[in-house]
């Protein structure tokens, strides 16, 4: 962090402070009502302010927000920025909300582009933070994150071209790999078994022809995931 | 799917991923195989539950967030504009 010009002494994770002011919590802890505003003047100024965005809140906690009666929220990243903290970081928590199924490959290409452009154009942040718990299967995910973190204007096609070039040496395999990555990306929106089975087959068939360990790990992860998608609901 | 078919499928999954280097943790950290399979089975059940949960396959907002819900970033309190149920899932 020092090498990047960050002279903050420590990082303050705001972590959707407004989100936790649910009626149930407020009944037990009435001071939560003004906690977000109360805490700001108490913080030292030499901190990095980190929060996840409202877009990530919508994506990961949307049903919970509606269940709570849809109370209004402030964009926590901007709350810190307007309070004068520097640097301000948009934390891409959507990359890996903490569930065991999130160890599997999940490129989040379109979502990463959306969040990076939001961070640049609407939040005007000083930086972004990535997040996931199980890196071995998530080479593509990580590559996408780091690329859009440095250049939010990249398109899905550009990113997939780059990552396919890293994972496959042979040009004829790169075009097949691109289709596999795009199909995997599509699966995470459609959640259709046929999409993940198609991606799994394409990744697996490339393994004997390529040397990349990262390709092997991604393919293995997609194979495991295919069983999970195929599985009937637990009783 | 019968219980016997589920057991067979889980055994097939275990045998498929056990040789994979990155899945040594869930398959082989416990040396005694009957116990390893029990833990693996429990972990798979969690993954299935996760996948079918509102967070993943049940999510109405699976990937790109519909900006009609939140058209412009603001530090002021804003009530999210959820689409009507009839409009279906967001893109």
């Amino acid at each position: 962090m020092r090498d990047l010009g960050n002279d903050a002494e420590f990082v303050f994770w705001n972590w959707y402070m407004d989100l936790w002011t649910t009626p149930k919590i407020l009944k037990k802890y009435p001071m939560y009502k003004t906690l977000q505003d109360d805490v700001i003047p108490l913080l030292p100024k030499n901190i990095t302010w980190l929060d996840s965005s409202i877009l990530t809140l919508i994506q990961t906690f949307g049903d919970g927000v509606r269940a709570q009666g849809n109370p209004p929220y402030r964009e926590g990243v901007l709350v810190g920025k307007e309070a004068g903290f520097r640097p301000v970081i948009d934390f891409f928590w959507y990359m890996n909300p903490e569930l065991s199924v999130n160890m599997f490959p999940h490129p989040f290409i379109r979502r990463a582009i959306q969040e990076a452009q939001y961070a640049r154009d609407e939040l005007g942040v000083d930086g972004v933070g990535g997040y996931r718990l199980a890196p071995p299967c998530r080479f593509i995910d990580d590559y996408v994150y780091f690329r859009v973190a440095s250049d939010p204007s990249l398109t899905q096609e550009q990113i997939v071209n780059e990552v396919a070039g890293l994972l496959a040496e042979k040009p004829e395999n790169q075009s097949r790999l691109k289709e596999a990555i795009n199909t995997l990306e599509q699966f995470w929106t459609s959640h259709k078994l046929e999409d993940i089975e198609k991606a799994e087959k394409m990744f697996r068939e490339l393994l004997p022809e390529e040397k990349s360990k990262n390709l092997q790990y991604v393919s293995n992860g997609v194979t495991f995931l295919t069983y999970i998608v195929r599985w009937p609901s637990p009783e | 799917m019968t219980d016997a078919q589920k057991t067979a499928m889980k055994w097939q999954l275990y045998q498929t991923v056990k040789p994979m280097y990155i899945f040594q943790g869930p398959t082989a950290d416990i040396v005694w195989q009957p116990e390893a399979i029990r833990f693996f089975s429990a972990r798979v059940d969690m993954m299935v539950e996760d996948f079918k949960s509102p967070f993943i396959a049940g999510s109405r907002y699976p990937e790109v967030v519909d900006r009609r819900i939140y058209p412009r970033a603001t530090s002021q309190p804003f009530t999210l504009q959820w689409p009507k149920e009839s409009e279906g899932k967001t893109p």
Side-chain angles (χ1 to χ4, degrees), chain A residues 5-16:
Chain A
N6 183 346
D7 60 357
E9 292 298 322
F10 53 92
V11 178
F12 176 74
W13 293 51
N14 194 55
W15 194 230
Y16 293 133

Side-chain angles (χ1 to χ4, degrees), chain A residues 59-60 63 66 70 72-75 82 100-101 103 106 111 114 118 122 188-189 231 233 235, chain B residues 6 10 16 20 23 47 50 52 55-56 60-63 65 67 70 73-75 78 80 82 85:
Chain A
Q59 185 178 25
T60 51
D63 285 327
R66 288 154 67 110
N70 198 28
Y73 290 107
R74 294 175 281 187
E75 175 51 84
E82 293 181 8
S100 55
V101 75
M103 65 188 276
H106 189 154
R111 180 70 184 94
Q114 179 186 43
Y118 176 74
E122 298 186 52
W188 281 110
T189 295
W231 211 271
S233 296
E235 301 301 332
Chain B
K6 287 180 187 174
K10 208 171 269 183
T16 299
M20 297 174 177
F23 295 126
M47 291 172 177
D50 288 350
K52 296 179 189 301
F55 280 107
I56 309 291
R60 277 180 280 206
Y61 324 103
E63 292 283 327
V65 176
R67 291 305 307 273
Y70 190 64
T74 173
S75 60
F78 182 88
L80 301 173
W82 302 102
E85 296 297 329

